[in-house]
């Protein structure tokens, strides 16, 4: 299967040379030269990887990242001229998987693309049995074990934990989690997801009041840490 890379970049020459290099490596590419197009392509084309320039003519790259994250599980690599640590942190908090600062070499960028894809594939391979420390989730038998002891989960709690573990270390928006587990559009006012996260924490966290496995990223979503 060909890997699809969406290049979000308003500088035509940079976008073209990136696509040229990526296609030479066997990737399928498309260019979005502004944020609106990026969000539309994320929805319609369903890329596997998004290279996202931070400074775009219409919408800020961080907002684009947030929007993409709501509806897609694509790996997002932020590309920017900014170097401040604060930008790096903000980028990762809105759900980017990696970060590259300009100027970068094409070779370095392709290495990063391959690295995020490898991380995603590792997660898919492990889907039937997900293990994280003393927590084990068996997809086939629908059983979860903590320190070798069976944990009783409802069907939705199980699906929620599976989705979180499947994307270990990655920020998942509340919209994405809800739509994946419940299979229906997310309504901002619904507390269903939060209630389930709460009960899941009661069952798998040592101290549910100070969770270390399922952490909250305020205003963004949740991340399974391990
Ligand atoms: Ca730019």
């Amino acid at each position: 299967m060909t890997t699809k890379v969406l290049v979000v970049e308003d500088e035509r020459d940079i976008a073209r040379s990136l696509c040229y290099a990526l296609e030479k490596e066997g990737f399928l590419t498309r260019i979005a030269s502004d944020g609106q197009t990026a969000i539309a392509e994320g929805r319609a084309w369903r890329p596997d990887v998004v290279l996202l320039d931070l400074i775009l003519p219409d919408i800020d790259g961080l907002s684009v990242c947030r929007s993409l994250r709501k509806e897609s599980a694509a790996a997002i690599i932020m590309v920017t001229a900014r170097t401040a640590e604060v930008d790096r942190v903000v980028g990762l908090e809105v759900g980017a998987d990696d970060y590259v600062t300009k100027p970068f070499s094409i070779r370095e960028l392709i290495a990063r693309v391959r690295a995020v894809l490898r991380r995603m594939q590792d997660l898919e391979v492990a889907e039937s049995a997900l293990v994280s420390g003393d927590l084990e989730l068996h997809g086939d038998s629908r059983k979860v074990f903590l320190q070798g002891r069976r944990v009783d989960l409802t069907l939705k709690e199980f699906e929620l934990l599976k989705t979180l573990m499947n994307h270990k270390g990655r920020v998942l928006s509340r919209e994405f989690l809800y739509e994946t587990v419940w299979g229906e559009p997310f309504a901002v006012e619904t507390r269903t997801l939060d209630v389930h996260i709460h009960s899941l924490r009661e069952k798998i966290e040592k101290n549910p009041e100070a969770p270390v496995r399922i952490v909250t990223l305020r205003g963004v979503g949740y991340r399974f840490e391990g």
Side-chain angles (χ1 to χ4, degrees):
M1 217 170 58
T2 316
T3 304
K4 297 190 276 189
V5 183
L6 179 65
V7 176
V8 186
E9 172 63 74
D10 56 320
E11 285 166 71
R12 207 83 201 145
D13 290 347
I14 298 180
R16 285 226 180 92
S17 58
L18 276 175
C19 288
Y20 176 75
L22 285 162
E23 287 187 355
K24 237 172 59 184
E25 297 285 321
F27 296 104
L28 211 61
T29 67
R30 253 189 213 189
I31 298 172
S33 48
D34 58 58
Q36 292 288 8
T37 313
I39 293 166
E41 288 285 17
R43 208 170 281 155
W45 193 48
R46 305 199 155 274
D48 302 291
V49 180
V50 179
L51 298 180
L52 178 59
D53 185 27
L54 193 57
I55 302 170
L56 296 165
D58 55 347
I59 320 170
D60 186 79
L62 291 174
S63 309
V64 174
C65 184
R66 228 177 257 123
S67 295
L68 285 172
R69 190 40 87 228
K70 281 180 189 170
E71 331 183 347
S72 126
I76 301 173
I77 302 177
M78 290 273 213
V79 181
T80 179
R82 296 186 193 172
T83 51
E85 178 73 4
V86 63
D87 288 328
R88 199 184 75 81
V89 173
V90 169
L92 297 177
E93 284 201 341
V94 295
D97 294 279
D98 204 352
Y99 204 88
V100 179
T101 46
K102 289 178 184 172
F104 54 81
S105 71
I106 298 266
R107 190 179 286 217
E108 179 195 351
L109 191 77
I110 286 173
R112 297 290 186 98
V113 170
R114 291 206 189 284
V116 292
L117 285 169
R118 235 178 354 254
R119 290 210 292 273
M120 286 167 84
Q121 269 155 14
D122 286 350
L123 295 171
E124 275 167 28
V125 167
E127 188 162 11
S128 58
L130 297 164
V131 181
S132 186
D134 56 11
L135 183 66
E136 272 179 50
L137 181 145
H138 297 263
D140 305 339
S141 58
R142 294 198 161 275
K143 285 177 183 160
V144 171
F145 298 90
L146 182 63
Q147 293 179 321
R149 278 194 296 273
R150 174 89 188 270
V151 183
D152 248 338
L153 296 184
T154 66
L155 185 63
K156 292 298 180 199
E157 286 167 355
F158 179 87
E159 290 296 332
L160 186 56
L161 181 62
K162 190 172 115 183
T163 307
L164 285 161
M165 289 182 81
N166 244 331
H167 297 87
K168 183 174 171 176
R170 299 182 58 197
V171 183
L172 300 177
S173 71
R174 298 173 69 233
E175 289 86 344
F176 178 80
L177 278 169
Y178 187 82
E179 289 173 11
T180 303
V181 174
W182 277 268
E184 50 190 66
F186 178 76
V188 181
E189 65 278 6
T190 183
R191 301 296 300 160
T192 310
L193 174 67
D194 310 271
V195 168
H196 280 75
I197 291 278
H198 181 84
S199 59
L200 202 47
R201 280 173 172 157
E202 294 285 335
K203 294 176 182 179
I204 65 163
E205 295 277 1
K206 269 205 187 73
N207 178 3
E209 302 308 313
V212 293
R213 298 200 117 122
I214 303 171
V215 301
T216 304
L217 288 113
R218 206 166 290 281
V220 184
Y222 298 100
R223 181 171 59 212
F224 184 77
E225 292 280 0

